[in-house]
Amino acid sequence: MPTNITVTSNISSGGFDNPDLEYLKYVAPRYYGYNALVTKSDIEAAIISSGYLTSYTDIGNKISVFDGQNYNNNYGKIYFSIIDLGVDDQNVSAIKTILQNKAIYGLSIEYQKSQNFTGSITITGTRDTKKTNKSITQIRNDYEKNIEDAYGINKFNNSLSKSDLIILAAETDPGLTVKDSNITITLTKTLDLDTDKTVYFYNGISSFETELVSTNLSTSNVKFKSTSVTVPELNGFKYIGAYLSNNTAVNEKVGIFNPTTGFIMFYDTVDPTEEFDITITPSVDSINPINNMAVAYEVNTITIT
């Protein structure tokens, strides 16, 4: 007698008709990246423990690790910078090898030289004789020393605001008063357009101007200045102009800059014969270095009345 067999089935679930990319993003680093460098903190720790920076003090503020996606839209790449080390330094090569060998699968690691700025501070303050017995000279010297001790070292994490300087003035001496309207901060960077035609300032720009330099644009030396002329093709960008010492325009379109993001770029047609300094006046009251921007601040003048 034949046996009746009943077969039932259920529709399978839980799988994917096509690969789930979000799931793969989660699983792949954990599969391929076993015992690897995953986070920026991992990479920073590997640099510090590499043994190639034994001469550094305050090493945590002398290295920077940043994401290519946020730096230059270069996905799948991590950059690192170390103050005072060029791209050809042997220590950089050795550290890069360590990092790349331990990086998760598919991630590329590249070195970028730090973008070093020098901040110049000019302050005017007042002395209240009812609150202090110190002389103007004593207060000025103490205030200048405190500023240099707190902000005078070239490092990546060297944010400075006008409110910081106001608080530091009160901490220096109760009789010293400084207002934000009496503080000016400018930042200077040395440029070599033969090697790099871009500047990443990462803060708002009110204006900038360079020293005079010999170029292919004129028989006389020229200086480069920010202009208010907008670039039609690029939203938010304005042109950089080249001018003689008497401010006569030589070429009003030698580059572009973004006053909001702080990005500055010179065109390839500009060919200076030497390095030159660019001085930037920020449009913000607080300077916040990010990525590979490093700053050391120095006092220009402190005037106390």
Side-chain angles (χ1 to χ4, degrees):
M1 181 177 180
T3 302
N4 293 326
I5 300 175
T6 302
V7 178
T8 60
S9 65
N10 295 315
I11 298 174
S12 63
S13 62
F16 300 103
D17 293 332
N18 295 307
D20 186 300
L21 296 181
E22 293 303 317
Y23 179 74
L24 291 177
K25 288 179 184 178
Y26 177 82
V27 172
R30 287 153 180 79
Y31 181 82
Y32 291 104
Y34 178 75
N35 198 29
L37 307 175
V38 178
T39 68
K40 289 195 293 185
S41 296
D42 293 339
I43 297 175
E44 290 170 356
I47 294 172
I48 292 173
S49 62
S50 67
Y52 289 98
L53 303 177
T54 55
S55 62
Y56 278 66
T57 57
D58 192 23
I59 190 171
N61 288 316
K62 295 298 180 68
I63 62 175
S64 178
V65 178
F66 46 102
D67 190 345
Q69 178 180 345
N70 298 323
Y71 176 62
N72 57 3
N73 292 321
N74 200 331
Y75 292 76
K77 181 166 286 189
I78 292 292
Y79 294 97
F80 72 101
S81 293
I82 302 171
I83 291 176
D84 296 331
L85 291 186
V87 294
D88 297 325
D89 191 281
Q90 292 182 348
N91 288 339
V92 168
S93 178
I95 292 172
K96 181 179 176 180
T97 298
I98 292 173
L99 299 180
Q100 192 63 70
N101 288 341
K102 290 183 66 64
I104 63 175
Y105 183 79
L107 186 67
S108 176
I109 296 180
E110 184 174 312
Y111 184 78
Q112 284 283 343
K113 186 178 179 181
S114 62
Q115 294 226 15
N116 297 335
F117 292 80
T118 300
S120 178
I121 303 171
T122 300
I123 300 175
T124 299
T126 57
R127 169 177 167 264
D128 187 344
T129 56
K130 297 178 181 179
K131 297 180 179 179
T132 182
N133 294 321
K134 290 184 179 180
S135 67
I136 288 177
T137 300
Q138 286 177 306
I139 295 176
R140 183 178 59 242
N141 290 344
D142 290 346
Y143 189 29
E144 180 173 350
K145 183 179 185 303
N146 287 342
I147 292 174
E148 291 178 346
D149 287 347
Y151 304 104
I153 299 174
N154 188 32
K155 56 185 179 180
F156 290 112
N157 305 314
N158 211 3
S159 297
L160 174 65
S161 67
K162 290 184 179 181
S163 61
D164 292 333
L165 295 172
I166 293 171
I167 293 172
L168 189 58
E171 292 175 345
T172 298
D173 193 280
L176 175 60
T177 300
V178 174
K179 299 180 179 179
D180 57 358
S181 58
N182 294 327
I183 300 173
T184 301
I185 303 174
T186 59
L187 291 101
T188 300
K189 176 177 172 55
T190 300
L191 298 183
D192 183 354
L193 297 191
D194 288 336
T195 58
D196 193 357
K197 295 185 180 295
T198 59
V199 176
Y200 294 90
F201 184 60
Y202 299 117
N203 293 266
I205 293 176
S206 173
S207 63
F208 62 82
E209 183 173 332
T210 76
E211 61 185 354
L212 291 167
V213 62
S214 176
T215 70
N216 62 328
L217 302 173
S218 169
T219 56
S220 300
N221 289 358
V222 301
K223 56 185 174 181
F224 304 114
K225 294 170 54 177
S226 56
T227 75
S228 59
V229 182
T230 59
V231 182
E233 304 86 356
L234 296 173
N235 184 34
F237 280 82
K238 299 180 184 299
Y239 283 113
I240 303 169
Y243 301 84
L244 300 178
S245 58
N246 61 1
N247 287 323
T248 299
V250 172
N251 188 322
E252 295 181 326
K253 297 179 180 179
V254 299
I256 57 175
F257 76 102
N258 189 311
T260 302
T261 65
F263 176 78
I264 301 172
M265 184 182 74
F266 290 88
Y267 293 150
D268 290 338
T269 51
V270 180
D271 186 19
T273 59
E274 57 191 331
E275 296 179 343
F276 59 91
D277 286 344
I278 181 172
T279 299
I280 299 171
T281 301
S283 61
V284 292
D285 290 339
S286 179
I287 307 301
N288 296 296
I290 63 173
N291 293 344
N292 62 332
M293 177 184 174
V295 187
Y297 296 91
E298 59 186 28
V299 173
N300 180 23
T301 58
I302 296 178
T303 303
I304 301 175
T305 58

